[in-house]
């Protein structure tokens, strides 16, 4: 495919949410601009409101659930917002924000369902239409539905033949379920790398706007989101959060093979990822890629036993990331020791060379579970608690 990346993670607050937030704030009546606004958000919408509220001198209160990334909570405070960290998920945070809205007479600005928010997000679609000619398809990450509603309306109005595809994580597929039910419904969500998409119920306005315009919805596994984050860092030097990488994840997972040879646009819609989470995502991506391996092997406990294992691995260029050994829990002879190793290889072929070498030299080798066997040519994954 010819893939074009719309780099909205380079916005000042790190996501596309600035588009809708700015427009919604500008369109407020003067009286409400003085009183201020309130919203519930996992981070990006809160950041955008906080920043542009500060710029426009409009008081902003944001309610963020306790699972919101710490980096985003701190950034909102730095932009002068009143930050309330309450609620175990977005659903609870929203209920708290709605209550405070009534108590304090503040305008509630829904981060994905407010008409002005959706109109503002639609400017991304307008820019894509201006910047890329003959677009065959655009792949849009979907959380509450505001971005895909605005983008789909803009793209389909200007170029009706362009395919609009929505992508969700399997851990929070609320839009897919809404399409199945014919209306927004509550969907239990699990923790996900794409925390920006973790909305339990899509917006009614967003659903009504987007549903007739979406050509296809795709649900991707977490492993592919991790790999997409890794690929974007390695190949494009783009640091994006899980939600921002979802579009590429759908392509890498093979869900969109009908687009081969086509001109495809992917909005990289957010880059606000905690540094610690980024490290985990990269490790997860390397493991799914077959480049980070975990195994245990029983070697001789006589002098030089572990040194020989290290020498063999070094001889084929494998890098040891972590190594430990234990004697007490081993059930074979007293002169053996179990060594647990986490190591890094260049690629799948290199991993297979390592496996062949270990199986040749040692009787008992157990490899840890491969997170995504499909990536390794359908190879059987070993799931062992021993590793």
């Amino acid at each position: 495919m010819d893939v074009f990346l719309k780099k909205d993670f380079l916005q000042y607050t790190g996501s596309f949410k600035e588009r809708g937030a700015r427009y919604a704030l500008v369109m407020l009546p003067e009286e409400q601009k003085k009183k201020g606004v309130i919203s519930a958000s996992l981070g990006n919408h809160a950041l955008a409101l906080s920043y542009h509220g500060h710029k426009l001198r409009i008081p902003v209160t944001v309610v963020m659930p306790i699972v919101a990334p710490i980096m985003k909570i701190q950034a909102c405070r730095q932009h002068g917002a009143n930050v309330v960290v309450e609620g175990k998920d977005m659903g609870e945070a929203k209920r708290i924000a709605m209550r405070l809205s009534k108590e304090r007479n503040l305008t509630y600005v829904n981060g994905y369902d407010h008409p002005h928010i959706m109109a503002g997000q639609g400017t991304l679609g307008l820019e894509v239409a201006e910047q890329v000619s003959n677009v065959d398809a655009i792949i849009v990450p979907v959380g509450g539905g505001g971005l895909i509603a605005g983008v789909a309306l803009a793209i389909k109005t200007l170029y009706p033949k362009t395919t609009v595809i929505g992508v969700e994580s399997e851990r929070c597929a609320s839009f897919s379920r809404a399409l199945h039910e014919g209306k927004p419904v509550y969907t239990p969500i699990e923790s996900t790398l794409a925390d920006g998409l973790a909305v339990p119920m899509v917006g009614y306005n967003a659903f009504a706007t987007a549903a007739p315009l979406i050509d296809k919805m795709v649900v991707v596994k977490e492993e592919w989101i991790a790999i997409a984050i890794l690929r974007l860092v390695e190949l494009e030097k783009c640091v994006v959060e899980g939600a921002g990488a979802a579009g590429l994840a759908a392509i890498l997972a093979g869900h969109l093979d009908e687009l081969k040879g086509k001109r495809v646009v992917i909005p990289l819609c957010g880059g606000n990822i905690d540094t610690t989470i980024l490290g985990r995502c990269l490790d997860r991506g390397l493991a799914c890629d077959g480049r980070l391996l975990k195994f245990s092997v029983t070697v001789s406990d006589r002098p030089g036993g572990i040194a020989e294992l290290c020498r063999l691995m070094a001889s084929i260029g494998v890098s040891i990331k972590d190594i430990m050994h234990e004697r007490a829990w081993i059930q074979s002879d007293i002169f053996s020791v179990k060594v647990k190793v986490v190591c890094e290889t260049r690629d799948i072929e290199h991993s297979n060379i390592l496996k062949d070498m270990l199986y040749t030299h040692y009787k008992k080798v157990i490899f840890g579970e491969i997170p995504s066997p499909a990536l390794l040519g359908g190879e059987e994954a070993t799931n062992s608690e021993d590793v």
Side-chain angles (χ1 to χ4, degrees), residues 78-375:
Q78 287 168 3
H79 291 313
N82 173 30
V83 181
V84 179
V85 182
E86 278 188 50
K88 70 174 190 286
D89 57 23
M90 263 299 290
E92 271 192 25
K94 185 177 178 181
R95 285 192 290 275
I96 294 163
M98 296 291 274
R99 190 190 75 234
L100 292 174
S101 169
K102 288 181 180 177
E103 289 174 3
R104 302 178 186 179
N105 197 20
L106 302 172
T107 300
Y108 184 83
V109 181
N110 190 300
Y112 48 84
D113 207 35
H114 194 291
H116 292 154
I117 290 285
M118 290 189 292
Q121 320 305 26
T123 60
L124 187 147
L126 295 177
E127 287 178 20
V128 166
E130 288 175 3
Q131 294 166 345
V132 187
S133 60
N134 303 319
V135 177
D136 292 303
I138 182 165
I139 306 167
V140 185
V142 180
L147 178 62
I148 198 166
V151 169
L153 187 56
I155 292 289
K156 286 290 190 181
T157 302
L158 294 169
Y159 300 104
K161 292 184 179 178
T162 300
T163 302
V164 175
I165 298 164
V167 185
E168 295 180 295
S169 165
E170 66 173 354
R171 290 175 173 260
C172 50
S174 51
F175 205 97
S176 296
R177 188 169 174 193
L179 284 173
H180 182 262
E181 299 289 338
K183 62 181 181 181
V185 289
Y186 179 80
T187 305
I189 56 177
E190 301 174 61
S191 58
T192 168
L193 296 176
D195 59 87
L197 305 183
V199 179
M201 191 161 86
V202 300
Y204 281 89
N205 294 326
F207 181 76
T209 305
L213 302 173
I214 296 174
D215 296 292
K216 183 177 181 179
M217 279 298 299
V218 173
V219 177
V220 294
K221 290 183 177 293
E222 291 284 294
E223 299 94 279
W224 290 108
I225 294 174
I227 287 176
I229 292 171
L230 177 66
R231 291 282 187 276
L232 286 163
V233 168
E234 287 188 326
L235 303 178
E236 295 294 330
K237 311 300 178 274
C238 297
V239 177
V240 301
E241 57 190 282
L248 179 60
I251 291 176
L252 296 176
H255 296 315
L256 301 172
D257 286 350
E258 70 271 19
L259 298 180
K260 285 183 179 176
K262 307 283 188 181
R263 291 165 68 81
V264 180
V265 174
I266 304 174
L268 302 182
C269 51
N272 293 318
I273 184 169
D274 272 346
T275 311
T276 51
I277 300 296
L278 176 62
R280 289 182 216 163
C281 285
L282 295 179
D283 280 346
R284 180 78 59 87
L286 287 167
C288 295
D289 228 4
R291 292 156 59 189
L292 197 64
L293 295 180
K294 180 175 71 167
F295 66 88
S296 68
V297 56
T298 303
V299 304
S300 168
D301 196 23
R302 299 188 186 278
I306 294 176
E308 173 66 10
L309 171 66
C310 295
R311 188 192 65 75
L312 285 169
M313 293 175 70
S315 70
I316 58 170
V318 172
S319 173
I320 296 174
K321 309 294 284 184
D322 196 12
I323 187 168
M324 66 168 285
H325 61 282
E326 57 184 38
R327 294 181 177 86
W329 289 273
I330 198 153
Q331 294 175 354
S332 53
D333 70 275
I334 201 74
F335 297 107
S336 293
V337 61
K338 181 190 280 186
V339 181
K340 295 183 177 182
V341 180
V342 176
C343 62
E344 189 174 353
T345 62
R346 291 188 299 271
D347 49 32
I348 294 298
E349 289 74 20
H350 197 198
S351 297
N352 289 334
I353 291 170
L354 170 66
K355 288 179 180 181
D356 291 342
M357 183 191 74
L358 291 173
Y359 288 136
T360 300
H361 285 83
Y362 298 99
K363 291 180 180 178
K364 190 170 183 183
V365 183
I366 304 172
F367 277 87
E369 182 181 353
I370 298 164
S372 184
L375 290 173

Side-chain angles (χ1 to χ4, degrees), residues 17-37:
K17 290 283 189 178
E18 285 193 32
R19 299 171 179 273
R22 179 81 182 194
Y23 188 59
L25 289 171
V26 167
M27 295 298 286
L28 282 172
E30 287 302 318
E31 187 182 338
Q32 283 306 132
K33 285 182 181 178
K34 292 173 186 172
K35 290 178 181 175
V37 300

